[in-house]
Amino acid sequence: MGVYKHAQIAVSALRVVEFRIAACKLTGSNWRLTGQASRELIWGDFNLNNFEDGILSSAFMVGLLISSPIFASLAKSHNPFRLIGVGLSVWTFATAGCGCSFDFWSITICRMLVGVGEASFISLAAPFIDDNAPVAQKTSWLGIFYMCIPTGVALGYVYGGLVGGHLNWRFAFLGEATLMLPFAILGFVIKPLQLKGFTSSGSKQVLNKEIVAPEVQDLKISNGAVGSLTGREELNDSISKKFSLSKGASKISNQVTRFWKDIKVLLINKVYVVNVLGYIAYNFVIGAYSYWGPKAGYAIYHMNNADLLFGGITIVCGMFGTLGGGYILDCMHSTISNAFKLLSGATFLGAIFCFSAFCSKNLYGYIVLFSIGEVLVFATQGPVNYVCLHSVSPSMRPLSMAMSTVSIHIFGDVPSSPLVGVLQDYTNDWRKTALILTSVLFIAALVWFVGIFLHSVDRFNEDSELNVTPIERSNARPLLDQYTTEASE
């Protein structure tokens, strides 16, 4: 029985991981991943200026930020696994739309829809893996999950360069859509996994039937006309009035009300807030590194291949760091307190090495120090998402992941690039700018250090708010009791 259960767990989680690997090959930032050769061809076809190119490179973020909370909210009323299938389908058709676009606005809209597709993963995939991973390996599995991002970046650069350079930039997008299509179909046809904290539609229907039973019984007694046509009509009218679906406007109102209620719950959760604040400071630096890093490296160390070198360091170190961080937290015993210790310690040490790297006058010294710093900095990916998942109740996890993603982008990497540009205009010295930017990592480490001393409770095993409430339990007649009563009558 134990072997069979572990096999089930492995297969279930691998379903979701397969989705993520496929999605991350060229998801989210697929505009950037289509390769420099493809981008130059797109510029020529659409006569883009630098501003329009910048819009395209970040357009997916609009769809991502708007849709992430929506998918998280819908998970409470729709099967989360099927929502992932919907997201993959939107992503597939949007990516194909990029390949078929005819002007700047058409490709911009498709890029926004790409973000909508990715939003389903942002909020739903990590909770699935957290549910199905072995208890002693949860953070390692999350580490594997997030390692797919730098892996996807590496594959994307190669794929985009080959296909876009040798064929046409449109084929690069169409090829992505073709690769994803089977996974989008699987999202609808394979047996869906159930997410912890959410009841299936079938169980909700059973619950409704059980709750109706006593009221139906009372109606039978009061009318004294069991089996008569009038009694049946009254019975149907009574049921339809109490359990009919609300109007579209009422549904939207309920969704919005529930959404804001859940947001308030997150905002008063000190552990969650501290974790996200540290994550924002961390992502502020990482976002600026990815945008300005090659240019700073060329200016400071006169790198001829700054893009390739800086990108290669980030990808390789990101892979090893993400895997290592998850494994270390599992070895430490995965708790929220230990996660904050690892977040604070790894970020602090990583900041020291990155800071020292930009102080180095030698290119090779910079490469060694910065590589070590990147490994340490990326070790946070598993632990920071572990805290997001385990500091809230199971039913809140999708929204927790969604709002974490929205926060780190809106307050982190989105404003960091222009702000660092303003700083560089002021200092006119890339070394000083890089050192000031890297100092923000010390702030992230300090924020996460505070989290160590917060009272934290792992809420993974708490009952979901979508489970049967005490009132529903008191009103619901047990099936066995119902059958016994009918038999006695």
Side-chain angles (χ1 to χ4, degrees):
M1 183 65 180
V3 175
Y4 176 74
K5 184 174 180 60
H6 279 82
Q8 279 187 316
I9 289 174
V11 171
S12 299
L14 280 173
R15 288 181 186 174
V16 184
V17 174
E18 284 172 354
F19 276 5
R20 180 60 179 184
I21 291 174
C24 276
K25 283 181 180 177
L26 300 153
T27 317
S29 300
N30 64 355
W31 172 256
R32 176 165 50 106
L33 303 187
T34 50
Q36 185 64 27
S38 298
R39 288 182 61 181
E40 290 175 356
L41 292 172
I42 296 173
W43 291 340
D45 283 3
F46 294 149
N47 295 317
L48 302 181
N49 55 39
N50 288 327
F51 174 76
E52 290 173 330
D53 176 61
I55 292 294
L56 284 182
S57 66
S58 57
F60 89 99
M61 192 69 70
V62 176
L64 175 68
L65 298 183
I66 294 175
S67 302
S68 293
I70 294 176
F71 274 106
S73 298
L74 288 176
K76 291 191 173 184
S77 55
H78 298 78
N79 185 280
F81 197 81
R82 294 299 188 227
L83 289 177
I84 290 180
V86 172
L88 290 179
S89 299
V90 173
W91 189 95
T92 300
F93 288 109
T95 302
C98 289
C100 301
S101 57
F102 50 86
D103 61 10
F104 167 73
W105 289 109
S106 62
I107 196 172
T108 299
I109 293 172
C110 289
R111 285 284 298 147
M112 291 180 182
L113 292 176
V114 167
V116 174
E118 187 178 355
S120 65
F121 266 99
I122 293 298
S123 55
L124 300 174
F128 271 118
I129 292 179
D130 191 45
D131 282 352
N132 292 289
V135 176
Q137 299 176 6
K138 284 185 178 293
T139 322
S140 294
W141 283 41
L142 286 173
I144 295 173
F145 177 74
Y146 287 102
M147 182 205 67
C148 292
I149 296 176
T151 304
V153 172
L155 291 174
Y157 274 118
V158 176
Y159 169 84
L162 291 176
V163 178
H166 292 84
L167 296 176
N168 185 280
W169 64 267
R170 296 184 185 275
F171 286 101
F173 285 109
L174 294 174
E176 293 179 61
T178 303
L179 289 172
M180 179 61 75
L181 185 59
F183 293 95
I185 295 174
L186 284 175
F188 293 101
V189 300
I190 64 177
K191 183 179 179 181
L193 301 175
Q194 293 301 324
L195 191 60
K196 181 181 176 66
F198 295 88
T199 55
S200 64
S201 58
S203 62
K204 288 181 181 179
Q205 292 173 1
V206 172
L207 175 60
N208 287 341
K209 290 179 181 179
E210 293 174 6
I211 297 174
V212 172
E215 299 179 6
V216 171
Q217 201 72 10
D218 292 339
L219 185 60
K220 289 179 181 180
I221 295 172
S222 62
N223 288 335
V226 179
S228 67
L229 181 60
T230 304
R232 289 173 185 171
E233 290 177 349
E234 292 178 355
L235 173 61
N236 291 334
D237 291 341
S238 176
I239 295 174
S240 62
K241 288 179 182 179
K242 293 184 178 180
F243 299 101
S244 61
L245 296 176
S246 58
K247 300 296 182 181
S250 178
K251 285 184 178 180
I252 295 175
S253 177
N254 291 338
Q255 287 281 1
V256 172
T257 301
R258 184 167 58 183
F259 172 76
W260 285 114
K261 178 182 176 182
D262 290 342
I263 290 295
K264 291 178 182 178
V265 172
L266 289 179
L267 290 176
I268 63 175
N269 187 328
K270 294 180 181 179
V271 173
Y272 178 79
V273 171
V274 167
N275 185 54
V276 173
L277 287 176
Y279 204 6
I280 290 172
Y282 163 90
N283 216 54
F284 185 94
V285 178
I286 299 302
Y289 274 176
S290 64
Y291 190 85
W292 292 112
K295 189 170 185 178
Y298 177 81
I300 298 173
Y301 299 103
H302 307 290
M303 301 178 188
N304 294 324
N305 54 348
D307 286 317
L308 180 61
L309 180 60
F310 197 87
I313 291 174
T314 301
I315 291 168
V316 174
C317 294
M319 293 169 59
F320 283 101
T322 303
L323 285 175
Y327 177 77
I328 291 173
L329 182 57
D330 284 334
C331 292
M332 294 172 61
H333 183 61
S334 297
T335 65
I336 294 177
S337 178
N338 283 342
F340 275 126
K341 292 175 184 176
L342 182 56
L343 287 170
S344 178
T347 305
F348 182 76
L349 293 176
I352 292 176
F353 278 98
C354 290
F355 194 90
S356 301
F358 286 111
C359 290
S360 175
K361 303 293 184 180
N362 181 272
L363 173 61
Y364 298 105
Y366 163 81
I367 292 174
V368 172
L369 292 171
F370 191 74
S371 297
I372 297 174
E374 287 272 270
V375 170
L376 290 166
V377 165
F378 276 101
T380 60
Q381 289 301 301
V384 72
N385 288 287
Y386 177 89
V387 176
C388 282
L389 291 168
H390 287 253
S391 62
V392 299
S393 60
S395 65
M396 290 285 291
R397 290 180 301 167
L399 185 61
S400 167
M401 298 301 297
M403 296 313 299
S404 171
T405 301
V406 169
S407 299
I408 65 175
H409 287 309
I410 290 181
F411 303 109
D413 56 1
V414 170
S416 68
S417 295
L419 288 177
V420 170
V422 172
L423 178 62
Q424 171 58 21
D425 290 339
Y426 177 77
T427 63
N428 198 29
D429 185 334
W430 273 112
R431 190 184 298 274
K432 290 182 180 178
T433 300
L435 291 173
I436 294 172
L437 173 64
T438 304
S439 299
V440 179
L441 285 176
F442 291 107
I443 298 176
L446 179 62
V447 173
W448 279 328
F449 181 75
V450 173
I452 299 174
F453 303 98
L454 295 177
H455 176 68
S456 58
V457 177
D458 192 326
R459 305 181 64 183
F460 179 76
N461 291 317
E462 283 189 9
D463 287 336
S464 166
E465 64 180 30
L466 291 184
N467 286 341
V468 185
T469 64
I471 297 176
E472 289 173 337
R473 288 194 184 98
S474 64
N475 290 337
R477 166 171 280 179
L479 290 176
L480 182 60
D481 181 61
Q482 178 182 348
Y483 293 145
T484 303
T485 305
E486 290 178 354
S488 63
E489 292 176 351

